[in-house]
Amino acid sequence: MKTSPQRMRRRRFVTLLALGGGALVSSPLSRAASALTGPEPRTREGRRAPTAAVKKEIGTQEKALAEQLKTIRGYELPPGSPMAFAFRPLKSKRGTRR
């Protein structure tokens, strides 16, 4: 297949896009912007440190979980009460198509 001078092969186009993206990442402008903002705070494990909003949400969820567990554990079942559910596997229907 012969291509005209105006057309570019897809592989070449994608390669140029990737190279252009790499050039932007390593450009002096992007390095200057990252120097101004500074590095993100990290924990010892290398993860980002949680923000105040995330810490607050985690505390809220931990409190809600503690209340739910307290309710579940405090529920008294009478002796001899029936099971909540029982697992009974079904036999497979081999050879049938859906």
Side-chain angles (χ1 to χ4, degrees):
M1 175 172 120
K2 193 171 185 180
T3 60
S4 68
Q6 267 62 27
R7 289 191 52 140
M8 184 183 303
R9 291 187 179 171
R10 185 175 67 198
R11 186 173 293 214
R12 174 79 175 142
F13 176 73
V14 171
T15 302
L16 288 174
L17 278 178
L19 290 173
L24 284 176
V25 169
S26 64
S27 72
L29 182 60
S30 67
R31 279 185 260 144
S34 66
L36 288 175
T37 58
E40 293 179 352
R42 301 265 177 185
T43 61
R44 288 192 326 214
E45 295 84 23
R47 292 179 281 183
R48 288 188 305 206
T51 62
V54 171
K55 287 180 184 178
K56 181 181 176 187
E57 181 61 27
I58 290 172
T60 303
Q61 290 183 12
E62 285 176 346
K63 182 180 174 188
L65 177 63
E67 290 173 358
Q68 292 168 4
L69 288 175
K70 182 179 177 184
T71 303
I72 291 170
R73 290 175 180 154
Y75 186 76
E76 290 291 329
L77 286 175
S81 60
M83 292 190 320
F85 66 91
F87 176 74
R88 292 189 182 95
L90 300 174
K91 288 192 175 196
S92 65
K93 298 177 183 177
R94 296 186 187 258
T96 60
R97 292 195 162 191
R98 294 180 188 187

Coordinates of all heavy atoms in Angstrom, one line a residue:
M1 N 0.8 -1.2 0.0 CA 0.0 0.0 0.0 C 0.9 1.2 0.0 O 1.7 1.4 0.8 CB -0.9 0.0 1.2 CG -1.7 1.2 1.4 SD -2.9 0.9 2.8 CE -2.4 2.2 3.9
K2 N 0.7 2.1 -1.0 CA 1.5 3.3 -1.1 C 0.7 4.4 -0.4 O -0.4 4.7 -0.6 CB 1.7 3.6 -2.6 CG 2.7 4.6 -2.8 CD 3.0 4.7 -4.3 CE 4.1 5.6 -4.5 NZ 4.5 5.8 -5.9
T3 N 1.5 5.2 0.5 CA 0.9 6.3 1.2 C 1.3 7.6 0.5 O 2.4 7.7 0.0 CB 1.3 6.3 2.7 OG1 2.7 6.4 2.7 CG2 0.9 5.0 3.4
S4 N 0.4 8.5 0.6 CA 0.7 9.9 0.1 C 1.6 10.6 1.1 O 1.6 10.3 2.2 CB -0.6 10.6 -0.2 OG -1.2 10.9 1.0
P5 N 2.3 11.7 0.6 CA 3.1 12.4 1.6 C 2.3 13.1 2.7 O 2.8 13.3 3.8 CB 3.8 13.5 0.7 CG 3.5 13.2 -0.7 CD 2.4 12.2 -0.7
Q6 N 1.0 13.3 2.5 CA 0.2 13.9 3.6 C -0.2 12.9 4.6 O -0.6 13.3 5.7 CB -1.1 14.6 3.0 CG -1.0 16.0 2.6 CD 0.1 16.3 1.5 OE1 0.4 15.4 0.7 NE2 0.7 17.5 1.5
R7 N -0.3 11.6 4.3 CA -0.8 10.6 5.2 C 0.4 10.1 6.0 O 1.5 9.9 5.5 CB -1.5 9.5 4.5 CG -2.8 10.0 3.9 CD -3.6 8.8 3.4 NE -3.7 7.8 4.5 CZ -4.7 7.1 4.7 NH1 -5.8 7.3 4.0 NH2 -4.7 6.1 5.6
M8 N 0.1 9.7 7.3 CA 1.1 9.1 8.1 C 0.6 7.8 8.6 O -0.6 7.7 8.9 CB 1.4 10.1 9.3 CG 2.5 9.6 10.2 SD 2.7 10.7 11.7 CE 3.0 12.3 10.9
R9 N 1.4 6.8 8.7 CA 1.0 5.5 9.2 C 0.7 5.7 10.7 O 1.3 6.5 11.4 CB 2.1 4.5 9.1 CG 2.3 4.2 7.6 CD 3.2 3.0 7.5 NE 3.3 2.7 6.0 CZ 4.2 1.9 5.5 NH1 5.1 1.3 6.3 NH2 4.2 1.7 4.3
R10 N -0.3 4.9 11.1 CA -0.7 4.9 12.5 C 0.4 4.6 13.5 O 0.5 5.3 14.5 CB -1.9 3.9 12.7 CG -2.5 4.0 14.1 CD -3.7 3.1 14.3 NE -3.2 1.7 14.2 CZ -4.0 0.7 14.0 NH1 -5.3 0.9 13.7 NH2 -3.5 -0.5 13.9
R11 N 1.2 3.7 13.2 CA 2.3 3.3 14.1 C 3.3 4.5 14.3 O 3.7 4.8 15.4 CB 3.1 2.1 13.6 CG 4.2 1.6 14.5 CD 4.7 0.4 14.0 NE 3.7 -0.7 14.1 CZ 3.9 -1.9 14.4 NH1 5.1 -2.4 14.6 NH2 2.9 -2.8 14.4
R12 N 3.6 5.2 13.2 CA 4.5 6.3 13.3 C 3.8 7.5 14.1 O 4.5 8.1 14.9 CB 4.8 6.8 11.8 CG 5.5 8.1 11.7 CD 7.0 7.9 12.0 NE 7.7 9.1 11.8 CZ 8.7 9.5 12.5 NH1 9.2 8.8 13.4 NH2 9.3 10.7 12.3
F13 N 2.5 7.7 13.9 CA 1.8 8.7 14.6 C 1.8 8.4 16.1 O 2.1 9.3 16.9 CB 0.3 8.7 14.1 CG -0.5 9.7 14.8 CD1 -0.4 11.1 14.7 CD2 -1.5 9.3 15.7 CE1 -1.2 12.0 15.3 CE2 -2.3 10.2 16.4 CZ -2.1 11.5 16.2
V14 N 1.5 7.2 16.5 CA 1.5 6.8 17.9 C 2.9 7.0 18.5 O 3.1 7.4 19.6 CB 1.0 5.4 18.1 CG1 1.2 4.9 19.5 CG2 -0.5 5.3 17.7
T15 N 3.9 6.6 17.8 CA 5.3 6.8 18.2 C 5.6 8.2 18.5 O 6.2 8.6 19.5 CB 6.3 6.2 17.2 OG1 6.0 4.8 17.0 CG2 7.7 6.3 17.7
L16 N 5.2 9.1 17.5 CA 5.5 10.5 17.7 C 4.7 11.1 18.9 O 5.2 11.9 19.7 CB 5.1 11.3 16.4 CG 6.0 11.1 15.3 CD1 5.5 11.8 14.0 CD2 7.4 11.6 15.6
L17 N 3.5 10.6 19.1 CA 2.7 11.0 20.3 C 3.5 10.6 21.6 O 3.6 11.4 22.6 CB 1.3 10.4 20.3 CG 0.3 11.1 19.5 CD1 -1.0 10.4 19.6 CD2 0.1 12.6 19.9
A18 N 3.9 9.4 21.7 CA 4.6 8.9 22.8 C 5.9 9.7 23.1 O 6.2 10.1 24.2 CB 4.9 7.4 22.7
L19 N 6.6 10.0 22.0 CA 7.9 10.8 22.2 C 7.6 12.2 22.6 O 8.3 12.8 23.5 CB 8.7 10.8 20.9 CG 9.3 9.4 20.5 CD1 9.9 9.5 19.1 CD2 10.3 9.0 21.5
G20 N 6.5 12.8 22.1 CA 6.1 14.1 22.5 C 5.7 14.2 24.0 O 6.1 15.1 24.7
G21 N 5.0 13.2 24.4 CA 4.6 13.1 25.8 C 5.8 13.0 26.7 O 5.9 13.6 27.8
G22 N 6.7 12.1 26.3 CA 8.0 12.0 27.1 C 8.8 13.2 27.2 O 9.4 13.6 28.2
A23 N 8.8 14.0 26.1 CA 9.5 15.3 26.0 C 8.9 16.3 27.0 O 9.6 17.1 27.6 CB 9.6 15.8 24.6
L24 N 7.5 16.3 27.0 CA 6.8 17.2 27.9 C 7.1 16.9 29.4 O 7.3 17.8 30.2 CB 5.3 17.2 27.7 CG 4.8 17.9 26.5 CD1 3.3 17.7 26.3 CD2 5.2 19.3 26.5
V25 N 7.2 15.6 29.7 CA 7.4 15.2 31.1 C 8.8 15.6 31.5 O 9.1 16.0 32.6 CB 7.2 13.7 31.3 CG1 7.7 13.2 32.6 CG2 5.7 13.3 31.1
S26 N 9.8 15.4 30.6 CA 11.2 15.7 31.0 C 11.6 17.1 30.6 O 12.7 17.5 30.7 CB 12.1 14.7 30.3 OG 12.0 14.9 28.9
S27 N 10.6 18.0 30.3 CA 11.0 19.3 29.9 C 11.3 20.2 31.1 O 10.9 19.9 32.2 CB 9.8 20.0 29.1 OG 8.8 20.3 30.0
P28 N 12.1 21.2 30.9 CA 12.5 22.1 32.0 C 11.3 22.8 32.6 O 11.3 23.1 33.8 CB 13.4 23.2 31.3 CG 13.8 22.6 30.0 CD 12.8 21.6 29.6
L29 N 10.2 23.0 31.8 CA 9.0 23.7 32.3 C 8.3 22.8 33.4 O 7.9 23.2 34.5 CB 8.0 24.0 31.2 CG 6.7 24.7 31.6 CD1 7.1 26.0 32.2 CD2 5.9 24.9 30.4
S30 N 8.2 21.5 33.1 CA 7.6 20.6 34.0 C 8.5 20.4 35.3 O 8.0 20.3 36.4 CB 7.3 19.2 33.4 OG 8.5 18.5 33.1
R31 N 9.8 20.4 35.1 CA 10.7 20.3 36.3 C 10.6 21.5 37.1 O 10.6 21.5 38.4 CB 12.1 20.1 35.8 CG 12.4 18.6 35.5 CD 13.8 18.4 35.2 NE 13.9 18.4 33.7 CZ 14.9 18.8 33.0 NH1 15.9 19.4 33.6 NH2 14.9 18.8 31.7
A32 N 10.4 22.7 36.5 CA 10.3 23.9 37.3 C 8.9 23.9 38.0 O 8.9 24.4 39.2 CB 10.3 25.1 36.3
A33 N 7.9 23.5 37.4 CA 6.6 23.4 38.1 C 6.6 22.5 39.3 O 6.1 22.8 40.3 CB 5.5 23.0 37.1
S34 N 7.3 21.3 39.1 CA 7.4 20.4 40.3 C 8.3 20.9 41.4 O 8.0 20.7 42.5 CB 7.9 19.0 39.8 OG 9.2 19.1 39.3
A35 N 9.3 21.7 41.0 CA 10.1 22.3 42.0 C 9.4 23.4 42.8 O 9.6 23.5 44.0 CB 11.4 23.0 41.4
L36 N 8.4 24.1 42.2 CA 7.6 25.1 42.9 C 6.6 24.5 43.8 O 6.4 25.0 44.9 CB 6.9 26.0 41.9 CG 7.8 27.0 41.1 CD1 6.9 27.7 40.1 CD2 8.4 28.0 42.0
T37 N 6.0 23.4 43.4 CA 5.0 22.8 44.3 C 5.6 21.9 45.3 O 5.1 21.7 46.4 CB 4.1 21.9 43.4 OG1 4.8 20.9 42.7 CG2 3.3 22.7 42.4
G38 N 6.8 21.4 45.1 CA 7.5 20.5 46.1 C 7.0 19.1 46.0 O 5.9 18.8 45.4
P39 N 7.7 18.2 46.6 CA 7.3 16.8 46.6 C 6.1 16.6 47.5 O 5.9 17.3 48.5 CB 8.5 16.1 47.1 CG 9.2 17.1 47.9 CD 9.0 18.4 47.3
E40 N 5.3 15.6 47.1 CA 4.1 15.3 48.0 C 4.6 14.6 49.2 O 5.6 13.8 49.2 CB 3.2 14.3 47.2 CG 2.5 14.9 46.0 CD 1.6 13.9 45.3 OE1 1.7 12.7 45.7 OE2 0.9 14.4 44.4
P41 N 4.0 14.9 50.4 CA 4.5 14.2 51.6 C 4.2 12.7 51.5 O 3.1 12.3 51.0 CB 3.6 14.8 52.7 CG 2.5 15.5 52.0 CD 2.9 15.8 50.6
R42 N 5.1 11.9 51.9 CA 5.0 10.4 51.8 C 5.2 9.8 53.2 O 5.8 10.4 54.1 CB 6.1 9.9 50.9 CG 6.1 10.4 49.5 CD 5.3 9.5 48.6 NE 5.2 10.1 47.3 CZ 4.5 9.5 46.3 NH1 3.9 8.4 46.6 NH2 4.4 10.1 45.1
T43 N 4.6 8.6 53.3 CA 4.8 7.9 54.6 C 6.1 7.0 54.4 O 6.7 7.0 53.4 CB 3.6 6.9 54.8 OG1 3.5 6.0 53.7 CG2 2.3 7.8 54.9
R44 N 6.4 6.3 55.5 CA 7.6 5.4 55.4 C 7.5 4.4 54.4 O 8.4 3.9 53.8 CB 7.8 4.8 56.8 CG 8.3 5.7 57.8 CD 8.8 5.0 59.0 NE 8.1 3.8 59.3 CZ 7.9 3.4 60.6 NH1 8.3 4.0 61.6 NH2 7.2 2.2 60.7
E45 N 6.2 3.9 54.1 CA 6.0 2.8 53.1 C 6.1 3.4 51.7 O 6.0 2.6 50.7 CB 4.7 2.2 53.3 CG 4.6 1.4 54.6 CD 4.2 2.3 55.8 OE1 3.6 3.4 55.5 OE2 4.4 1.9 56.9
G46 N 6.2 4.7 51.5 CA 6.3 5.3 50.2 C 5.0 5.7 49.6 O 4.9 6.3 48.5
R47 N 3.9 5.6 50.4 CA 2.6 6.0 49.9 C 2.4 7.5 50.3 O 3.1 8.0 51.1 CB 1.5 5.2 50.6 CG 1.5 3.8 50.1 CD 0.4 3.0 50.8 NE 0.9 2.7 52.1 CZ 0.3 2.0 53.0 NH1 -0.9 1.5 52.8 NH2 0.8 1.7 54.2
R48 N 1.5 8.1 49.6 CA 1.2 9.5 49.9 C 0.6 9.6 51.3 O -0.2 8.7 51.7 CB 0.2 10.1 48.9 CG 0.8 10.4 47.6 CD -0.2 11.1 46.7 NE -1.4 10.3 46.6 CZ -2.3 10.4 45.7 NH1 -2.1 11.2 44.6 NH2 -3.4 9.7 45.7
A49 N 0.9 10.6 52.0 CA 0.3 10.8 53.4 C -1.2 11.2 53.2 O -1.5 12.0 52.3 CB 1.1 11.9 54.1
P50 N -2.1 10.7 54.0 CA -3.5 11.1 53.9 C -3.7 12.5 54.3 O -3.1 13.0 55.2 CB -4.2 10.1 54.9 CG -3.1 9.6 55.8 CD -1.8 9.7 55.1
T51 N -4.7 13.1 53.6 CA -5.0 14.5 53.9 C -5.9 14.5 55.2 O -6.4 13.5 55.6 CB -5.8 15.1 52.7 OG1 -7.0 14.4 52.5 CG2 -4.9 15.1 51.5
A52 N -6.2 15.7 55.6 CA -7.1 15.9 56.8 C -8.5 15.3 56.5 O -9.1 14.7 57.4 CB -7.1 17.3 57.2
A53 N -9.0 15.6 55.3 CA -10.3 15.1 55.0 C -10.4 13.6 54.9 O -11.3 13.0 55.4 CB -10.7 15.7 53.6
V54 N -9.3 13.0 54.4 CA -9.3 11.5 54.4 C -9.2 10.9 55.8 O -9.9 9.9 56.1 CB -8.1 11.0 53.5 CG1 -7.9 9.5 53.6 CG2 -8.3 11.4 52.1
K55 N -8.4 11.5 56.7 CA -8.2 11.1 58.0 C -9.6 11.2 58.8 O -10.0 10.3 59.5 CB -7.2 11.9 58.8 CG -5.8 11.6 58.4 CD -4.8 12.4 59.2 CE -3.4 12.2 58.7 NZ -2.4 13.1 59.4
K56 N -10.3 12.3 58.5 CA -11.6 12.5 59.1 C -12.6 11.4 58.7 O -13.3 10.8 59.5 CB -12.2 13.9 58.8 CG -13.5 14.2 59.4 CD -14.0 15.5 59.0 CE -15.4 15.7 59.6 NZ -16.0 17.0 59.1
E57 N -12.6 11.1 57.4 CA -13.5 10.1 56.8 C -13.2 8.7 57.4 O -14.1 7.9 57.7 CB -13.5 10.1 55.3 CG -14.4 9.1 54.6 CD -15.9 9.3 55.0 OE1 -16.2 10.5 55.2 OE2 -16.6 8.3 54.9
I58 N -11.9 8.4 57.5 CA -11.5 7.1 58.1 C -12.0 7.0 59.5 O -12.5 5.9 59.9 CB -10.0 6.9 58.0 CG1 -9.6 6.7 56.5 CG2 -9.5 5.7 58.8 CD1 -8.1 6.7 56.3
G59 N -11.9 8.1 60.3 CA -12.3 8.1 61.7 C -13.8 7.9 61.7 O -14.3 7.1 62.6
T60 N -14.6 8.5 60.8 CA -16.0 8.3 60.8 C -16.4 6.9 60.5 O -17.3 6.3 61.1 CB -16.6 9.3 59.7 OG1 -16.2 10.6 60.0 CG2 -18.1 9.2 59.7
Q61 N -15.7 6.3 59.5 CA -16.0 4.9 59.1 C -15.7 3.9 60.2 O -16.4 3.0 60.5 CB -15.3 4.6 57.8 CG -15.9 5.3 56.6 CD -15.3 4.9 55.3 OE1 -14.6 3.9 55.3 NE2 -15.6 5.6 54.3
E62 N -14.6 4.2 60.9 CA -14.2 3.3 62.0 C -15.2 3.4 63.1 O -15.6 2.4 63.7 CB -12.8 3.7 62.5 CG -11.7 3.3 61.6 CD -10.3 3.7 62.1 OE1 -10.2 4.6 63.0 OE2 -9.3 3.2 61.6
K63 N -15.7 4.6 63.4 CA -16.7 4.7 64.5 C -18.0 4.0 64.1 O -18.6 3.3 64.9 CB -17.0 6.2 64.7 CG -18.0 6.5 65.8 CD -18.2 8.0 65.9 CE -19.4 8.2 66.9 NZ -19.7 9.6 67.0
A64 N -18.4 4.1 62.8 CA -19.7 3.5 62.4 C -19.5 2.0 62.4 O -20.4 1.3 62.8 CB -20.0 3.9 60.9
L65 N -18.3 1.5 62.0 CA -18.1 0.0 62.1 C -18.1 -0.5 63.5 O -18.7 -1.5 63.8 CB -16.7 -0.3 61.4 CG -16.3 -1.8 61.5 CD1 -17.3 -2.6 60.7 CD2 -14.9 -1.9 60.9
A66 N -17.5 0.3 64.5 CA -17.5 -0.2 65.9 C -18.9 -0.2 66.4 O -19.3 -1.2 67.1 CB -16.7 0.8 66.7
E67 N -19.8 0.7 66.0 CA -21.2 0.7 66.5 C -21.9 -0.5 65.9 O -22.7 -1.1 66.6 CB -21.9 2.0 66.1 CG -21.4 3.2 66.8 CD -22.0 4.5 66.3 OE1 -22.7 4.5 65.3 OE2 -21.7 5.6 66.9
Q68 N -21.7 -0.8 64.6 CA -22.4 -1.9 64.0 C -22.0 -3.2 64.6 O -22.8 -4.1 64.9 CB -22.1 -1.9 62.5 CG -22.7 -0.8 61.7 CD -22.1 -0.7 60.3 OE1 -21.3 -1.5 59.9 NE2 -22.5 0.3 59.6
L69 N -20.7 -3.4 64.9 CA -20.2 -4.6 65.5 C -20.7 -4.7 66.9 O -21.1 -5.9 67.4 CB -18.7 -4.6 65.5 CG -18.0 -4.9 64.2 CD1 -16.5 -4.7 64.3 CD2 -18.4 -6.2 63.6
K70 N -20.9 -3.6 67.7 CA -21.4 -3.7 69.0 C -22.9 -4.1 69.0 O -23.3 -5.0 69.8 CB -21.3 -2.3 69.6 CG -21.8 -2.2 71.1 CD -21.6 -0.8 71.6 CE -22.2 -0.7 73.0 NZ -22.2 0.6 73.5
T71 N -23.6 -3.6 68.0 CA -25.0 -4.0 67.8 C -25.1 -5.5 67.5 O -26.0 -6.2 68.1 CB -25.7 -3.2 66.7 OG1 -25.6 -1.8 67.1 CG2 -27.2 -3.6 66.6
I72 N -24.3 -6.0 66.6 CA -24.4 -7.4 66.1 C -24.0 -8.3 67.3 O -24.6 -9.3 67.6 CB -23.5 -7.6 64.9 CG1 -24.1 -6.9 63.7 CG2 -23.3 -9.1 64.6 CD1 -23.2 -6.9 62.5
R73 N -22.9 -8.0 68.0 CA -22.4 -8.8 69.1 C -23.3 -8.8 70.3 O -23.4 -9.8 71.0 CB -21.0 -8.4 69.4 CG -20.0 -8.7 68.4 CD -18.6 -8.2 68.7 NE -17.7 -8.6 67.6 CZ -16.6 -7.9 67.4 NH1 -16.3 -6.8 68.1 NH2 -15.8 -8.3 66.4
G74 N -24.0 -7.7 70.4 CA -24.9 -7.6 71.6 C -26.3 -8.2 71.4 O -27.1 -8.3 72.3
Y75 N -26.6 -8.7 70.2 CA -27.9 -9.3 69.9 C -27.9 -10.7 70.5 O -27.1 -11.5 70.3 CB -28.1 -9.4 68.4 CG -29.5 -9.8 68.0 CD1 -30.6 -9.0 68.1 CD2 -29.7 -11.1 67.6 CE1 -31.9 -9.4 67.8 CE2 -31.0 -11.6 67.2 CZ -32.0 -10.7 67.3 OH -33.3 -11.1 67.0
E76 N -28.9 -10.9 71.3 CA -29.1 -12.2 72.0 C -29.9 -13.2 71.2 O -31.1 -12.8 70.9 CB -29.7 -12.0 73.4 CG -28.8 -11.3 74.4 CD -27.6 -12.2 74.8 OE1 -27.7 -13.4 74.8 OE2 -26.6 -11.6 75.1
L77 N -29.4 -14.3 70.9 CA -30.2 -15.3 70.2 C -30.7 -16.3 71.2 O -30.0 -16.8 72.1 CB -29.3 -16.1 69.2 CG -29.0 -15.4 67.9 CD1 -28.0 -16.2 67.1 CD2 -30.2 -15.1 67.1
P78 N -32.0 -16.7 71.1 CA -32.5 -17.6 72.1 C -31.9 -19.0 71.8 O -31.6 -19.3 70.6 CB -34.0 -17.6 71.9 CG -34.2 -17.0 70.5 CD -33.0 -16.1 70.3
P79 N -31.8 -19.9 72.8 CA -31.2 -21.2 72.5 C -32.1 -22.0 71.6 O -33.4 -21.9 71.7 CB -31.2 -21.9 73.9 CG -31.3 -20.7 74.9 CD -32.0 -19.6 74.2
G80 N -31.5 -22.7 70.7 CA -32.3 -23.5 69.7 C -32.9 -22.7 68.6 O -33.8 -23.3 67.9
S81 N -32.5 -21.5 68.4 CA -33.0 -20.7 67.3 C -32.6 -21.3 65.9 O -31.5 -21.9 65.8 CB -32.6 -19.3 67.4 OG -31.2 -19.2 67.4
P82 N -33.4 -21.2 64.9 CA -33.0 -21.7 63.6 C -31.8 -21.0 63.0 O -31.6 -19.8 63.3 CB -34.2 -21.5 62.7 CG -35.0 -20.4 63.4 CD -34.7 -20.5 64.8
M83 N -31.1 -21.7 62.1 CA -30.0 -21.0 61.4 C -30.5 -19.9 60.5 O -31.6 -20.0 59.9 CB -29.2 -22.1 60.6 CG -28.5 -23.1 61.4 SD -27.3 -24.1 60.5 CE -28.2 -24.5 59.0
A84 N -29.7 -18.9 60.2 CA -30.0 -17.9 59.4 C -30.1 -18.3 57.9 O -31.0 -17.9 57.1 CB -29.1 -16.7 59.5
F85 N -29.2 -19.2 57.5 CA -29.1 -19.7 56.2 C -28.4 -21.0 56.2 O -27.6 -21.3 57.1 CB -28.5 -18.7 55.2 CG -27.0 -18.5 55.4 CD1 -26.1 -19.3 54.8 CD2 -26.6 -17.5 56.3 CE1 -24.7 -19.1 55.0 CE2 -25.3 -17.3 56.5 CZ -24.3 -18.1 55.9
A86 N -28.5 -21.8 55.1 CA -27.8 -23.0 54.9 C -27.3 -23.1 53.5 O -28.1 -22.9 52.6 CB -28.6 -24.2 55.3
F87 N -26.1 -23.4 53.3 CA -25.6 -23.5 51.9 C -25.9 -24.9 51.4 O -25.5 -25.9 52.0 CB -24.1 -23.3 51.9 CG -23.5 -23.4 50.5 CD1 -23.7 -22.5 49.5 CD2 -22.7 -24.6 50.3 CE1 -23.1 -22.7 48.3 CE2 -22.1 -24.8 49.0 CZ -22.3 -23.8 48.0
R88 N -26.6 -25.0 50.3 CA -26.9 -26.2 49.6 C -26.5 -26.1 48.1 O -27.1 -25.4 47.4 CB -28.3 -26.6 49.7 CG -28.8 -26.9 51.1 CD -30.2 -27.4 51.2 NE -30.6 -27.7 52.6 CZ -31.2 -26.8 53.3 NH1 -31.6 -25.7 52.8 NH2 -31.5 -27.1 54.6
P89 N -25.4 -26.7 47.7 CA -24.9 -26.6 46.3 C -25.9 -27.2 45.4 O -26.5 -28.2 45.7 CB -23.6 -27.3 46.3 CG -23.6 -28.2 47.5 CD -24.5 -27.6 48.5
L90 N -26.1 -26.6 44.2 CA -27.0 -27.2 43.2 C -26.1 -28.0 42.3 O -25.0 -27.8 42.0 CB -27.6 -26.0 42.4 CG -28.5 -25.1 43.2 CD1 -28.9 -23.9 42.3 CD2 -29.7 -25.8 43.8
K91 N -26.8 -29.1 41.7 CA -26.1 -29.9 40.7 C -26.0 -29.2 39.4 O -26.9 -28.5 39.0 CB -26.9 -31.2 40.5 CG -26.8 -32.2 41.7 CD -27.3 -33.5 41.4 CE -27.1 -34.5 42.5 NZ -27.2 -35.8 42.1
S92 N -24.9 -29.3 38.8 CA -24.7 -28.7 37.5 C -25.5 -29.4 36.4 O -25.7 -30.6 36.4 CB -23.2 -28.6 37.1 OG -22.7 -29.9 36.9
K93 N -25.9 -28.6 35.5 CA -26.7 -29.2 34.3 C -25.7 -29.3 33.2 O -25.6 -28.3 32.4 CB -27.9 -28.3 34.0 CG -28.8 -28.1 35.1 CD -30.0 -27.2 34.7 CE -30.9 -27.0 35.9 NZ -31.9 -26.0 35.5
R94 N -25.0 -30.4 33.1 CA -24.0 -30.5 32.0 C -24.7 -30.8 30.7 O -25.7 -31.5 30.6 CB -23.0 -31.6 32.4 CG -22.2 -31.3 33.6 CD -21.2 -32.3 33.9 NE -20.5 -32.1 35.1 CZ -19.4 -31.5 35.3 NH1 -18.7 -31.2 34.2 NH2 -18.8 -31.3 36.4
G95 N -24.1 -30.3 29.7 CA -24.6 -30.6 28.3 C -25.7 -29.6 27.9 O -26.2 -29.7 26.8
T96 N -26.2 -28.8 28.7 CA -27.2 -27.8 28.3 C -26.6 -26.5 28.0 O -25.6 -26.1 28.6 CB -28.2 -27.6 29.5 OG1 -27.6 -27.1 30.6 CG2 -28.9 -28.9 29.8
R97 N -27.1 -25.9 26.9 CA -26.6 -24.6 26.5 C -27.6 -23.6 26.8 O -28.8 -23.8 26.7 CB -26.3 -24.6 25.0 CG -25.1 -25.5 24.7 CD -24.7 -25.2 23.3 NE -23.3 -25.8 23.2 CZ -22.5 -25.5 22.2 NH1 -22.9 -24.8 21.3 NH2 -21.3 -26.0 22.2
R98 N -27.1 -22.4 27.1 CA -28.0 -21.3 27.3 C -28.3 -20.5 26.1 O -27.6 -20.3 25.2 CB -27.5 -20.4 28.4 CG -27.4 -21.1 29.7 CD -26.8 -20.2 30.8 NE -26.6 -21.0 31.9 CZ -26.2 -20.5 33.1 NH1 -26.0 -19.2 33.2 NH2 -26.0 -21.3 34.1

